[in-house]
Amino acid sequence: MLMKMGEIAGFQVGVVGALFLSVASSVSIVICNKALMSNLGFPFATTLTSWHLMVTYCTLHVAQRLNFFDNKPIEMKTVILFGILNGVSIGFLNLSLGFNSIGFYQMTKLAIIPFTVLLETIFLKKQFSQKIKFSLFFLLVGVGVASVTDMQLNFVGTILSLLAIITTCVGQILTNTIQKRLNVSSTQLLYQSSPFQAAILFVTGPLVDQFLTKQNVFAHKYSPIVLAFIVLSCLIAVSVNFSTFLVIGKTSPVTYQVLGHLKTCLVLAFGYTLLHDPFTPRNIIGILIAILGMVLYSYFCTLGNKKRQLLDPSPASQIKDKEAGALLAGKNMEKESYEAKKSAKDSLV
């Protein structure tokens, strides 16, 4: 019994640590990229993401050679398709931002949660209670009130947004499914897939960025301070990429999206306090609604976990179902990407 309790406690500590790392690294990279793109005039978000992934792979390769983790073989076809899918989803998200207004782009981000719930319900037979759905709806309303402003529609932008939603949802579901079904760690999966993500973005990134910005990344004048911020951004991105795979693997794609949307509110608050961005009563109300939605999500998930533990008290079941209970410890966590994109078309890492 003590061993079982120790396993569960250790799992909870791991989840809380993953959530904290995700929030800290995400907010840090938003601030860094916002300075790089808005203040220093480096608008090449997709190309920057490819550099992020290349540095991530190199860092993990060194860690693997130093025996920090074991390299568990994964079928090459699975890794290649998974890596390409994730790289393509980043490209579609950046193109969606380029072709749509900020408000419509944020609505695209909000649509990822319900679409993920739909896909998991249909294909993975996962059940979401009405209370969970209500709390997610509450959260999405809050984030929408806080961050969605203008809404301008166009055909090409709508198609790109739909493709971005589909590829992002499928990629995040596969991130969770591959880790659990193939019994590989987040580090092992990221290590093997990041070269393919980096390759697809390294080839397409300069083309996408030139199309969106009308500038050539290779003709850009790189001052020492720009280079310094690029290096800093790449180093922080290692933590962002690692924590993303870690959180999705330990919890679920939906929980990761909940965490992400709440990071948006934290970034809004940081933007107001540190960067003196405009802040209205609507922003405050939206953030409070979003935080309430997150607390409700955590509470209802915790109740559901306790009921399942009573029905199946095995440690494997308890560990598997701890995903959102630990989220209570992170109720001030919010989403990294949108605010940097709002200022300078930052990309998801």
Side-chain angles (χ1 to χ4, degrees):
M1 179 63 70
L2 290 176
M3 183 176 293
K4 293 178 181 179
M5 293 181 65
E7 290 177 355
I8 296 170
F11 181 82
Q12 289 178 313
V13 171
V15 172
V16 172
L19 296 173
F20 177 79
L21 179 63
S22 178
V23 172
S25 58
S26 297
V27 173
S28 297
I29 204 168
V30 166
I31 296 172
C32 178
N33 287 350
K34 188 170 185 179
L36 178 61
M37 296 181 180
S38 294
N39 302 331
L40 300 177
F42 185 85
F44 309 107
T46 311
T47 303
L48 180 63
T49 303
S50 72
W51 298 345
H52 288 170
L53 288 163
M54 284 190 289
V55 172
T56 297
Y57 171 73
C58 292
T59 303
L60 291 178
H61 183 68
V62 172
Q64 192 271 329
R65 294 299 296 268
L66 294 175
N67 296 320
F68 282 99
F69 68 93
D70 294 324
N71 182 23
K72 184 175 181 178
I74 305 175
E75 184 184 8
M76 186 57 64
K77 181 180 178 181
T78 300
V79 173
I80 292 175
L81 292 177
F82 174 74
I84 291 176
L85 176 64
N86 277 281
V88 168
S89 71
I90 294 171
F92 277 138
L93 282 168
N94 284 331
L95 286 171
S96 173
L97 178 58
F99 277 86
N100 294 306
S101 64
I102 294 294
F104 189 79
Y105 173 78
Q106 181 62 6
M107 289 301 297
T108 299
K109 301 287 292 180
L110 294 177
I112 291 176
I113 282 184
F115 196 78
T116 301
V117 170
L118 178 64
L119 289 180
E120 290 196 307
T121 301
I122 294 175
F123 294 103
L124 300 182
K125 308 302 180 184
K126 186 172 182 179
Q127 299 298 318
F128 295 87
S129 68
Q130 293 299 320
K131 292 180 179 180
I132 292 293
K133 293 176 182 177
F134 170 75
S135 64
L136 292 174
F137 173 77
F138 217 72
L139 167 66
L140 295 178
V141 169
V143 176
V145 170
S147 60
V148 176
T149 52
D150 58 320
M151 281 286 291
Q152 300 175 13
L153 305 180
N154 66 81
F155 178 75
V156 175
T158 301
I159 296 298
L160 290 171
S161 292
L162 288 174
L163 292 173
I165 292 170
I166 293 171
T167 54
T168 300
C169 291
V170 173
Q172 292 183 357
I173 291 173
L174 286 177
T175 301
N176 177 269
T177 304
I178 290 174
Q179 290 184 56
K180 291 184 175 178
R181 292 191 177 179
L182 300 184
N183 195 27
V184 296
S185 69
S186 57
T187 308
Q188 292 166 335
L189 180 58
L190 178 59
Y191 174 59
Q192 296 198 42
S193 64
S194 55
F196 300 102
Q197 296 182 57
I200 190 69
L201 290 175
F202 188 76
V203 173
T204 61
L207 300 176
V208 171
D209 288 334
Q210 186 163 9
F211 181 77
L212 294 176
T213 66
K214 311 303 179 185
Q215 299 180 51
N216 189 335
V217 64
F218 301 110
H220 187 77
K221 294 182 179 180
Y222 292 87
S223 65
I225 189 171
V226 168
L227 291 173
F229 269 86
I230 289 175
V231 171
L232 178 60
S233 178
C234 289
L235 293 176
I236 299 173
V238 175
S239 178
V240 173
N241 290 323
F242 173 73
S243 62
T244 296
F245 277 59
L246 190 62
V247 169
I248 294 176
K250 284 185 174 291
T251 61
S252 72
V254 173
T255 298
Y256 174 74
Q257 285 296 325
V258 170
L259 176 68
H261 282 303
L262 289 168
K263 282 187 244 176
T264 298
C265 300
L266 183 60
V267 170
L268 283 172
F270 268 106
Y272 172 70
T273 56
L274 299 180
L275 305 176
H276 306 291
D277 289 342
F279 210 64
T280 66
R282 172 178 169 173
N283 298 132
I284 298 174
I285 293 172
I287 289 174
L288 293 176
I289 294 174
I291 292 175
L292 178 59
M294 189 257 188
V295 172
L296 290 174
Y297 174 79
S298 301
Y299 176 71
F300 292 141
C301 282
T302 302
L303 289 181
N305 291 340
K306 289 181 178 179
K307 290 180 180 178
R308 284 191 290 271
Q309 290 170 23
L310 292 176
L311 296 175
D312 183 7
S314 65
S317 173
Q318 293 173 354
I319 289 176
K320 180 179 178 181
D321 294 324
K322 285 295 178 180
E323 60 183 47
L327 204 56
L328 282 169
K331 60 185 177 182
N332 292 320
M333 303 175 179
E334 292 100 10
K335 187 163 198 109
E336 77 260 20
S337 297
Y338 165 65
E339 283 309 307
K341 287 174 179 286
K342 184 176 180 181
S343 300
K345 300 188 176 181
D346 188 13
S347 67
L348 299 177
V349 179

